[in-house]
Amino acid sequence: WVVGLDQDLGHDKTVYKTTDGGATWVLAMNQGGYMWAVDFTDQQHGWVITVGGLVLLTTDGGTNWQPVFFPPYFITPTISDIEFADQNTGWVVGWDGLVAHTTDGGLTWNYQNIGTTTDHLFSVHVLSPTEAWASGRNANLPMDGVVYHTIDGGLTWTNETVGPNPYWGYSIAATSRN
């Protein structure tokens, strides 16, 4: 699965799918909103996010997509990434310290307090239903990179600034908390 903005092929906003290891790609969905990230936990259960705070979820391998809207976060949530541990538990991250968590497959989302409303988070990596990492940059000069980590389902998050300056954590991956 790949998402993005496809102006060259005449589509405005697109989701593509491959079933042959990337040799060919077919248009799987053309839905309004700039597609920002995609995650699937198996062949049937997947999620796509748009910058404007819309989550689209599928439980039938992308044949049908159900829209889910986030509650207001400041004005409109700017969501950067989405990742699930299983079919039910996942997180999204975004600008202005946005972290939201779901335990019902993305039907409803609860914002989590990570201790900031200014850091811009670009990436989330989920290791289990209770453990996740997020990375991005703080909004203050000199805009250092930041990493947030939870091991209790998001009840508490630890934060550390990473460098060298300027360093922005656009993507994060981890295998364990140790």
Side-chain angles (χ1 to χ4, degrees):
W1 293 86
V2 65
V3 298
L5 181 61
D6 176 11
Q7 295 175 325
D8 293 337
L9 297 177
H11 306 105
D12 291 328
K13 297 93 181 171
T14 55
V15 177
Y16 284 94
K17 174 182 177 179
T18 183
T19 57
D20 58 10
T24 59
W25 293 86
V26 297
L27 183 65
M29 176 183 44
N30 192 13
Q31 171 74 30
Y34 183 11
M35 304 302 171
W36 198 253
V38 60
D39 187 43
F40 271 75
T41 56
D42 57 40
Q43 291 184 6
Q44 300 300 310
H45 297 86
W47 302 263
V48 172
I49 59 168
T50 69
V51 172
L54 175 65
V55 172
L56 300 165
L57 65 94
T58 183
T59 58
D60 60 9
T63 301
N64 297 292
W65 293 87
Q66 175 183 351
V68 177
F69 292 89
F70 279 79
Y73 187 82
F74 293 102
I75 298 171
T76 300
T78 301
I79 302 170
S80 304
D81 199 11
I82 187 168
E83 190 166 310
F84 276 72
D86 54 41
Q87 295 174 6
N88 294 311
T89 308
W91 277 272
V92 297
V93 297
W95 286 48
D96 302 315
L98 184 150
V99 173
H101 182 245
T102 183
T103 57
D104 62 7
L107 295 173
T108 60
W109 295 86
N110 296 302
Y111 292 116
Q112 295 185 326
N113 181 356
I114 65 167
T116 181
T117 57
T118 59
D119 291 355
H120 298 324
L121 303 175
F122 303 123
S123 179
V124 62
H125 183 68
V126 178
L127 293 174
S128 74
T130 59
E131 184 174 10
W133 294 82
S135 67
R137 68 166 171 83
N138 65 34
N140 303 317
L141 292 175
M143 291 192 208
D144 292 319
V146 292
V147 172
Y148 290 88
H149 180 220
T150 184
I151 58 171
D152 58 11
L155 296 175
T156 59
W157 289 82
T158 59
N159 168 7
E160 66 180 85
T161 301
V162 294
N165 176 288
Y167 172 83
W168 296 4
Y170 280 114
S171 184
I172 191 166
T175 56
S176 74
R177 63 182 167 180
N178 297 325

